[in-house]
Amino acid sequence: MDFRFNKSLLLILSLSYLLVSSNAIPLTRVLHIPPVGSPTVAPHMDLIDGIMSLAAKAVTKISPQISKFCTGTENPTLCAQTIAPFLDGSFDPIKALETLVNATLNHTRKVCGTITKLINDPSTSKNALDALGICKSQYDDIMDTVKEAIELIEQQNVVDAYYKFSSVIGDQSSCEDAFNESPGVNMPFAKDSQTLYQLGGNCLAIMDGIVNNSKL
């Protein structure tokens, strides 16, 4: 019985790894740091809910290094579950940060796609369209900001990446404010907005820790 359970668990982990690897988004530039462990794989955020759910069930133990690394973040559980499936071998804080930032980028892409579909939907109300127009502008800015932060991190310039990335939370909040100020309109992607807030907050906390040497 134990043998069959362990064999099934190994199969689940292997399939989840192959699924994520086949959908990974490569970094646009090479990270110039000494090679440590296996390379980071950037997760596709349209699969992130399923991946984190699978990770929570299949990964029986988060390494102490990852747990410590995620301590003090906006959502330590989300932080650890985002990193753990994609890091192997010796722990590298820069690669862990890259995984978090790429997850934020891919989740931003997902929200941008949702916003575009809602804008193009003839049934969307006028008040909702006004709010969505603001959100489209804000999320376009988030997309550009995160891409620039990734380039800076690849150059090991975490300080400038931190200051660049700090605008992400403000842009996300501006989108939510647009819906809060629209009478009778609910944000149709509120859960995704909250996830972006937590992903972005995790990234900022980790960058702050690296800049101040508490995450190295």
Side-chain angles (χ1 to χ4, degrees), residues 17-74:
Y17 176 81
L18 289 173
L19 176 62
V20 175
S21 298
S22 63
N23 287 280
I25 297 177
L27 297 175
T28 57
R29 303 179 63 173
V30 177
L31 179 65
H32 301 296
I33 61 174
V36 180
S38 301
T40 301
V41 179
H44 245 307
M45 283 308 296
D46 57 356
L47 300 174
I48 196 65
D49 291 337
I51 291 169
M52 288 190 295
S53 176
L54 178 61
K57 295 177 182 178
V59 178
T60 58
K61 185 178 180 181
I62 299 292
S63 75
Q65 285 179 306
I66 291 178
S67 295
K68 181 180 179 181
F69 184 74
C70 290
T71 299
T73 59
E74 177 68 29

Side-chain angles (χ1 to χ4, degrees), residues 62-77 79-80 83 91 100 201-202 204-206 208-209 214-215:
I62 299 292
S63 75
Q65 285 179 306
I66 291 178
S67 295
K68 181 180 179 181
F69 184 74
C70 290
T71 299
T73 59
E74 177 68 29
N75 186 329
T77 299
C79 173
I83 293 171
F91 182 78
L100 291 172
N202 287 348
L204 284 171
I206 294 301
D208 180 72
S214 64
K215 298 293 183 183

Side-chain angles (χ1 to χ4, degrees), residues 101-174:
V101 178
N102 273 286
T104 306
L105 175 63
N106 287 321
H107 192 71
T108 302
R109 286 194 179 108
K110 175 185 176 181
V111 178
C112 284
T114 299
I115 292 171
T116 298
K117 287 180 181 179
L118 290 168
I119 289 175
N120 294 330
D121 187 343
S123 66
T124 302
S125 69
K126 174 63 168 60
N127 285 346
L129 281 174
D130 291 342
L132 287 166
I134 294 172
C135 286
K136 185 179 186 307
S137 175
Q138 298 303 314
Y139 272 84
D140 284 345
D141 288 345
I142 292 173
M143 182 84 73
D144 292 339
T145 297
V146 178
K147 286 179 179 178
E148 291 173 14
I150 289 172
E151 291 187 0
L152 289 167
I153 292 168
E154 290 169 357
Q155 299 167 18
Q156 301 183 64
N157 187 351
V158 180
V159 174
D160 286 344
Y162 171 77
Y163 287 114
K164 173 68 66 176
F165 200 93
S166 61
S167 65
V168 167
I169 301 302
D171 291 337
Q172 180 268 347
S173 296
S174 295

